[in-house]
Amino acid sequence: MSKRVITISREFGSGGRAIGKMVADKLGVKFYDRELIQLVAKESGFALDFVEETGEYSSTSSLLYNLSVGGIYTQGAFSPETLPPADKVQILQNNIIRELAEKEPCVIVGRSADYILRERTDCLNVFIHADMAHKVKRAVELYNISPKSPEKILAKKDKARASQYRRYTDQVWGMADNYHLTLDSGVFGLEKCCDIIVALAR
């Protein structure tokens, strides 16, 4: 496989997680989504729900993120005891993502993994999106999103992800320049998106 690590960023309801799992299964590599959250929760001691929300929807300063990427935090310039819980989770999550990418071929969903691993040449960074109608249908059917005003809920989720991504990366979430490949799952369907990613990864 020419690309050892595949990162999947996705709009809420676009099926990005499902596509990522399909890709991992076809390539025979590890898949990290909730599995990554569990690793962070175990190592940090924080509740799983807290880690899940903080790791993708938090909005703290990007300063500590940039320091952690540069390795300053891990060299002891900052004491873990002085950091807010959200920052501790973010830095630990970043370190674990880098460790996983170094350890073995894998697929990683969300968590700004594309940016965290941006200096690696063996990564394929993918963004999955879809039109609102497709996302609403999937969200209502699979995630128990209320059918009364699903568009607002989906928009809020994506806004929070975009905000978190900008704060920690100083980049625009979903902008094509930040990824090697963007796919419309509403047009291609999940299986075709999977096939395209697998073909490129190989």
Side-chain angles (χ1 to χ4, degrees), residues 159-183:
K159 184 178 180 180
R161 285 179 177 174
S163 176
Q164 187 265 6
Y165 189 84
R166 178 180 287 278
R167 285 178 180 274
Y168 283 112
T169 71
D170 200 30
Q171 301 292 316
V172 178
W173 181 74
M175 179 175 283
D177 288 353
N178 294 327
Y179 310 92
H180 300 120
L181 176 69
T182 63
L183 292 170

Side-chain angles (χ1 to χ4, degrees), residues 63-98:
L63 172 62
L64 288 171
Y65 175 87
N66 292 329
L67 291 175
S68 72
V69 169
I72 297 175
Y73 171 78
T74 57
Q75 294 171 15
F78 291 88
S79 170
E81 289 76 19
T82 66
L83 297 175
D87 292 327
K88 293 179 184 179
V89 167
Q90 189 67 37
I91 292 172
L92 180 57
Q93 176 175 274
N94 297 346
N95 291 338
I96 289 177
I97 286 173
R98 286 193 290 267

Side-chain angles (χ1 to χ4, degrees), residues 150-162:
E151 295 85 358
K152 291 183 179 180
I153 297 173
L154 268 63
K156 183 178 180 180
K157 287 280 190 181
D158 283 344
K159 184 178 180 180
R161 285 179 177 174

